[in-house]
Amino acid sequence: KRTPDAVFVIDTNREEIAIKEARRLNIPVVGTLDTNCDPDDVEYGIPANDDAIRSVRLLADFVADAVIAGTGAPVTAAEMGEAPAEAEAAAVAEEAAAEEAAPAAE
């Protein structure tokens, strides 16, 4: 419903378009800086390995926990602009599809 206060990017080389769009909208970019990344692409750089899954998971969890701690609550589907009923219906449909696929796999 509004522009974000910041954008968090794991791989600045891969997410060039997101960074350019954030710059155009004057949104600060927080991103990981591996040895092959340009530090001028982000306002707030985090030296980290953006190729290892465990490293990415650790950083993403840390940033998510910091956002939750800073705002006091996790972001809900309604805050992101999606109606809660639509989000619940999509979750129920995904569960039903997974249950139907499970017996077929056995």
Side-chain angles (χ1 to χ4, degrees):
K1 295 187 178 190
R2 64 182 179 89
T3 58
D5 294 327
V7 174
F8 177 64
V9 178
I10 292 290
D11 189 348
T12 57
N13 290 334
R14 179 172 273 187
E15 302 298 338
E16 282 182 60
I17 296 171
I19 292 172
K20 287 179 183 178
E21 187 172 338
R23 284 181 182 261
R24 184 174 291 149
L25 296 172
N26 293 321
I27 300 170
V29 178
V30 179
T32 59
L33 297 174
D34 203 349
T35 55
N36 62 344
C37 297
D38 184 8
D40 293 333
D41 289 343
V42 298
E43 283 76 20
Y44 304 100
I46 303 169
N49 183 0
D50 61 15
D51 300 321
I53 293 173
R54 289 177 63 182
S55 174
V56 170
R57 181 174 291 133
L58 176 71
L59 286 169
D61 287 345
F62 181 77
V63 170
D65 291 342
V67 169
I68 291 169
T71 60
V75 178
T76 64
E79 291 172 334
M80 293 178 61
E82 182 179 11
E86 292 173 5
E88 188 173 333
V92 170
E94 286 179 21
E95 285 181 26
E99 288 175 8
E100 289 179 47
E106 295 175 6

